[in-house]
Amino acid sequence: MKTPHPLPEELRGRPFTLVDASVAGVSPRRWRHGSLTYRGRGIRVEGTTTAFPLSVRVRPFIEVNELCAASHVTAAELHSLPQRRQDEARDDYHLIRPEGAAHLDRPHVIVHRMKLFEDEVATLDGIPVTTPARTWLDMAELLSVDEIVAMGDACVRAPRFEFEGRSMPLCSIWDLQRTIDRHRGKRGLRKAKEALELIRVGSDSAQETMLRLAIVRAGLPEPELNVPIITEDGVRHHEPDLSYRKYRIGIEYEGEHHGDESQIARDITRSERYAALGWTEVRISKRHMVNDAKPAAAKVLVALAQAGWRRGS
């Protein structure tokens, strides 16, 4: 087999369609060359695709399959919604088609045929994808109630513009409720309804959500989420991840990045600030989240009891 001509730069290392190849000037003979891997009718790839973002990798599979949009696990990843850690080598994509559309059986795609309203599909990075609210409901088929709550919290949280480049939530609690109401009988609906009652605005991470749920299930009062400490003189201080203003308790979840030297310095400064304000700081890490986060809830209970809280009070 003769050495093939190099592909145009824009096609290297990513899946591309026959249309892409034609526009880039790739000949039919080059398209059929054995150096290209067959990824389904009308799609080829040369080399590995892992270096490209998901939107680039999934786009060809949507373009060659009519009436499709990215959905479920794929849509959740595109929206940066928390879900179970996926196999990084995963090479299948979830697509949704309206119910009644013809059956579709192609390699590398998992097709879901179900009721789909026109306003439940948006464009993200140039490709059609189910909206955050519809993605949340679809994922109720696959996740536990707590995981659905964490995803819902991520949907409705107010983002920080300086870090994320947006100031509006992905959707509202009303959007989630509306999506439930228009899909009666859908798989996962019972879990979605249960999760909706537990979703709160204010959580900045799935870990914070899981911690909040564990605290409440332990019979402790529900904490506030990322509410700033404001002293009597009106000065606004930092925002604890979770807090009880009445008892002057701030709860901080420390992820893996808290091992960084610069973060350690910031954490020390934060602890000093808590002490200066007369607040108690409760620091929670991954090791406290084992066994359904009972060790974390126990640590919060100790702080509440020391501050004067009693069950039934």
Side-chain angles (χ1 to χ4, degrees), residues 1-52:
M1 182 180 296
K2 293 183 178 180
T3 302
H5 292 294
L7 287 174
E9 182 67 29
E10 64 269 26
L11 301 183
R12 295 177 192 171
R14 70 169 179 83
F16 58 90
T17 66
L18 180 58
V19 173
D20 293 330
S22 178
V23 170
V26 175
S27 69
R29 183 176 181 179
R30 179 68 178 91
W31 169 262
R32 294 190 295 269
H33 195 275
S35 63
L36 299 181
T37 302
Y38 177 82
R39 300 299 300 278
R41 191 179 66 197
I43 301 177
R44 300 289 188 275
V45 67
E46 181 182 60
T48 179
T49 66
T50 55
F52 284 86

Side-chain angles (χ1 to χ4, degrees), residues 10-309:
E10 64 269 26
L11 301 183
R12 295 177 192 171
R14 70 169 179 83
F16 58 90
T17 66
L18 180 58
V19 173
D20 293 330
S22 178
V23 170
V26 175
S27 69
R29 183 176 181 179
R30 179 68 178 91
W31 169 262
R32 294 190 295 269
H33 195 275
S35 63
L36 299 181
T37 302
Y38 177 82
R39 300 299 300 278
R41 191 179 66 197
I43 301 177
R44 300 289 188 275
V45 67
E46 181 182 60
T48 179
T49 66
T50 55
F52 284 86
L54 177 60
S55 58
V56 173
R57 289 181 275 127
V58 71
R59 183 188 62 80
F61 297 91
I62 295 176
E63 290 184 346
V64 300
N65 296 309
E66 295 180 353
L67 305 178
C68 285
S71 69
H72 293 73
V73 174
T74 304
E77 188 173 343
L78 287 166
H79 287 300
S80 298
L81 295 174
Q83 54 181 314
R84 291 188 191 126
R85 187 179 298 275
Q86 300 294 325
D87 179 2
E88 292 183 1
R90 184 184 70 248
D91 207 16
D92 291 333
Y93 307 106
H94 288 256
L95 305 182
I96 192 170
R97 304 188 88 196
E99 60 181 358
H103 176 69
L104 184 63
D105 185 10
R106 284 176 175 264
H108 304 291
V109 293
I110 300 168
V111 180
H112 307 265
R113 288 191 301 169
M114 53 185 66
K115 181 187 294 184
L116 180 66
F117 292 93
E118 186 174 333
D119 62 357
E120 292 177 339
V121 176
T123 300
L124 182 66
D125 293 334
I127 62 171
V129 56
T130 50
T131 60
R134 176 57 196 264
T135 301
W136 172 81
L137 182 59
D138 287 336
M139 289 298 290
E141 303 175 15
L142 309 174
L143 302 178
S144 69
V145 170
D146 283 7
E147 289 168 332
I148 302 166
V149 175
M151 183 174 286
D153 278 3
C155 284
V156 304
R157 61 177 288 272
R160 301 170 191 269
F161 185 84
E162 62 271 26
F163 298 121
E164 300 164 71
R166 63 184 178 92
S167 56
M168 296 296 294
L170 294 175
C171 66
S172 65
I173 292 179
W174 180 87
D175 292 324
L176 300 180
Q177 181 67 67
R178 177 172 178 262
T179 307
I180 285 177
D181 293 342
R182 59 196 323 203
H183 289 282
R184 300 184 185 280
K186 191 180 188 307
R187 287 181 57 193
L189 199 64
R190 179 192 60 79
K191 287 192 292 182
K193 289 180 178 180
E194 183 179 347
L196 187 64
E197 297 298 318
L198 299 170
I199 291 172
R200 301 289 185 271
V201 175
S203 181
D204 272 346
S205 70
Q207 292 84 356
E208 290 178 23
T209 296
M210 296 301 182
L211 177 57
R212 170 175 63 84
L213 294 176
I215 289 171
V216 173
R217 284 175 183 154
L220 306 181
E222 182 167 338
E224 295 181 294
L225 306 175
N226 288 286
V227 174
I229 297 174
I230 301 177
T231 50
E232 294 180 356
D233 56 3
V235 177
R236 179 188 178 113
H237 298 272
H238 70 285
E239 302 174 3
D241 294 335
L242 303 92
S243 64
Y244 298 103
R245 281 184 285 181
K246 178 179 178 181
Y247 299 100
R248 293 176 173 259
I249 294 172
I251 307 166
E252 303 286 355
Y253 183 87
E254 301 182 347
E256 296 178 0
H257 71 284
H258 282 262
D260 297 341
E261 185 175 344
S262 59
Q263 185 62 51
I264 291 174
R266 287 193 291 272
D267 289 344
I268 291 174
T269 300
R270 184 192 65 200
S271 296
E272 293 171 343
R273 191 182 308 120
Y274 269 116
L277 293 171
W279 278 55
T280 298
E281 179 187 33
V282 179
R283 301 175 73 171
I284 303 295
S285 66
K286 185 178 181 180
R287 67 187 178 89
H288 298 106
M289 300 299 287
V290 300
N291 192 21
D292 295 326
K294 290 178 182 176
K299 194 171 182 181
V300 174
L301 171 58
V302 169
L304 280 168
Q306 291 175 343
W309 176 81

